[in-house]
Amino acid sequence: MDGWTAPSSIERELYEAKARGDWSGYLDALARSELFLPQSRARVDAEPTTARFHPTPDRRCLVVHTRGMLPVPDPQTVYLPRSLAWFANAWDSADPPHLAVNPGTPSEAYLTTTPADLARWRAHWDAVAPAWGLAPGAVHALHVGGPLHGPVAHGLAVGAHLAVSNGEFWNALAYHGNGYTRERERLRKGWGITGAEEWHDTLRRLLATEMVSPVWEFALRVRRVLASDFAGPVDVEHWRHAAASTLRRSAERAAEPQLTPDGVTVAAPRPTAEVEGEVTGVQRLIGRIARYEQRFRADGLLPEDGWVRSVEGWDQGRASQMARWGLGTRYGTLADAEHGVLHAGETARAMYRSWEEFSAGYALGRCLHFDEEEFGEWYTGVLATHLTLTTDPASPWRNIPWRAPEGAT
């Protein structure tokens, strides 16, 4: 169809193969794609390891969708991803005579399901496996059905680190992700979230940047103040000394008498050993941050004279994704997801001055939490994603300004 825009590269490849009459190429593309099977949410909740066929009313077809063709999530229907080989192995003579792929769209196909057809599906799967689904580490976008510009797109792009590393559409607000059961498993294993209340609380804490270590943020805030006061780079020893002075002065003030409505309150001074232990720990942390920044500069994560303003970006990037994960698991609604994504974008813009600054903050938070100065896969992975997002012409960071032009909404 002239003028048709495919929602994603998946549907475009299917359409182009079909337009050429290249059904072998169509099956190759289909074998590389996740095929999402609609299911009753209530039944999946009751039997999470079972996927059932629900044919069309005339029992002529079983409908599946590729990732870019999934409808807006609703509370009753969920989708499970399966491979072409899985369908070939699950099919039997009592099942419908056709597999309907993206019916009603230019990429549609009604595939017959004879034993010879099923054998052909397996052969195409064998030829492309294990390259199944969207490739991790690359930028994937919805060209229809996902915002590409504006505040919502900006908030979605704040979560692009995770979208790229996980192999997902960066701009999918109406999010299904890897399917209902896999998304629930992701939140259970990675976050300990098993219900709506836990998800809402986690999203709230991420949006408030309460999950990132306050000690990390304290150390970076001391340097921000010094950089502002002295209008230039801050020497590490100066930074360490200022952090130590701030901690000691804070402990002294906490022990001073306080005038309250109930009278004068006197607090017992904190033990000196406790305060000095905090000083030693923060000074050690400052050294660790400085070494990470040195490596960031060498690898292109920071400019030659750059430094990390804040690690709040780690919470903000995760909040953008968490908002969508809640929709994929049906712990939240589309309105919840949009609110979370917009809030993540707003708080990131308030702290950072560019995509690159935000990314460096996200990367440092991730490394401080996971990497322990090993510079292993936690570091190399976030570096690779940063370089992809800052250099790929298709990246949202190359196409969405960090700050909207004046007068834009």
Side-chain angles (χ1 to χ4, degrees), residues 185-227:
E185 184 66 5
R186 184 212 300 265
L187 291 190
R188 185 189 68 79
K189 291 181 68 175
W191 294 82
I193 296 172
T194 58
E197 185 175 346
E198 292 167 324
W199 172 76
H200 277 284
D201 183 61
T202 301
L203 178 59
R204 178 194 61 76
R205 293 177 63 203
L206 286 169
L207 290 172
T209 61
E210 292 177 359
M211 296 191 75
V212 73
S213 168
V215 179
W216 305 345
E217 198 58 27
F218 163 77
L220 292 170
R221 186 167 59 250
V222 168
R223 182 171 58 179
R224 284 202 306 274
V225 171
L226 292 174

Side-chain angles (χ1 to χ4, degrees), residues 29 43 244:
R43 185 172 290 280

